[in-house]
Amino acid sequence: MTEIQSTTADGRLQDEVKRLKAHIKALEAREQRCHDALSNADEGISMVDANGNYISVNPAFCRMTGYSEAELLSMNIRELISPEEKSVLFRKVVNRRSGRRQTELIKKDGSCFHAEITGHPVKLDDQWLALGIVRDISLKKKAEEARLENEEKYRSLFNNMIQGAFYRQSDGSITDINPAGLEMFGLTRDQFLGKALIDPGWKVIREDGSDFPGEQQPSMESLQTGKPVKNKIIGVFNPNRNEHVWLNIDAIPQFKEGEEKPYRVFVTMHDITERKKSEEKLRESEGRFRAIFEQAAVGVAQVVTRTGEFLRINKRYADIVGYT
């Protein structure tokens, strides 16, 4: 009986040893996977103690900062953070609060790079540590700065254009207009952006004086067809000048990548009111001259001086010479 009990106990012990070995092997495998993940991560990963001393760093963090692993493990987080920051994020984490912050980190060569740091409190062996995940966003920051600079240049150009210009979205709403355009329409910015296509306050007409419905105007035509519309003449009543202002309009559709329908249209306007007035005066003058020419009691002829060819004769001249 004792021998049987001993054999059973040995079997249980062997099973327990096997279970423990399997558990240890699984832990080692998991640790290796974690190590591989940290080693191959693109983000810099570090861990610091409550005093800010580095106790663990991965290769990506070493590459970002220019320090070796041994050097970092002998350093404090405050040596890498610019004086202006004063370890704001680190203080959050050691107070057991997660946080995210964009800051500059100082590299070994003294230069700085823009970093986005996400910090999390981690408890390990009854000790609170700070886990930091660092992304180098220098290229992103440069791209953002370049975008802002381009936007500033565009805004300056847009606002100082001699031509009037505005943007109309695919739903017909107007989202932006420059000062020259506001002057042409005789409206404030708020009044213009608040106008609807069907608003009778527009008082838009064609060259022949007929109404120009909003849905047929150049900007809407361009949005509907997806094609540029150029050199369309419209007249818009300007309340400040108490007259119609004549505009030569170009509308250029704009597309988002991969889409066939425009999402908005860019409209430019040239004020041709003075030209239209001059043309009208010329037509009136020509009309008066033609009436005098045709109704004169004497024969009148217009002749090319170099060749002697007739350009124009009145009826009285034809009757005198006997020709049609």
Side-chain angles (χ1 to χ4, degrees), residues 129-298:
L129 305 173
L131 173 68
I133 301 174
V134 181
R135 292 176 57 230
D136 186 341
I137 58 171
S138 298
L139 293 179
K140 179 182 176 181
K141 290 289 286 187
K142 287 181 180 179
E144 179 68 12
E145 289 170 0
R147 183 185 67 82
L148 292 175
E149 183 179 355
N150 287 336
E151 283 187 357
E152 185 176 347
K153 289 179 180 178
Y154 155 76
R155 177 54 56 183
S156 177
L157 176 63
F158 183 74
N159 287 335
N160 290 287
M161 288 174 62
I162 297 176
Q163 303 93 337
F166 66 85
Y167 285 99
R168 171 166 272 158
Q169 302 300 114
S170 58
D171 63 358
S173 62
I174 298 169
T175 55
D176 204 0
I177 183 171
N178 69 348
L182 292 174
E183 186 176 347
M184 292 176 185
F185 282 89
L187 300 172
T188 66
R189 182 178 175 82
D190 289 341
Q191 288 173 328
F192 189 87
L193 297 182
K195 286 271 188 178
L197 280 172
I198 59 174
D199 193 324
W202 282 114
K203 298 181 182 178
V204 181
I205 60 174
R206 303 179 190 272
E207 286 189 273
D208 62 5
S210 61
D211 290 338
F212 206 145
E215 61 273 11
Q216 297 177 17
Q217 290 172 21
S219 57
M220 293 306 295
E221 180 183 344
S222 180
L223 284 170
Q224 292 162 2
T225 63
K227 297 179 180 179
V229 177
K230 296 188 175 183
N231 297 319
K232 282 293 183 77
I233 309 299
I234 69 170
V236 180
F237 184 77
N238 184 312
N240 293 338
R241 291 159 63 169
N242 197 31
E243 65 176 358
H244 274 88
V245 173
W246 290 98
L247 305 174
N248 186 322
I249 295 206
D250 292 337
I252 309 298
Q254 297 185 334
F255 302 84
K256 291 182 179 179
E257 186 175 354
E259 295 186 3
E260 296 182 357
K261 291 185 177 181
Y263 73 100
R264 70 178 181 182
V265 62
F266 179 60
V267 180
T268 56
M269 305 169 289
H270 293 77
D271 187 341
I272 59 170
T273 305
E274 293 305 315
R275 190 187 83 186
K276 292 283 288 184
K277 288 180 178 179
S278 297
E279 291 174 351
E280 183 63 27
K281 288 181 180 179
L282 180 60
R283 281 194 293 270
E284 291 175 358
S285 177
E286 287 180 344
R288 288 194 296 269
F289 168 75
R290 186 178 296 108
I292 295 171
F293 184 88
E294 295 295 342
Q295 297 171 21
V298 296

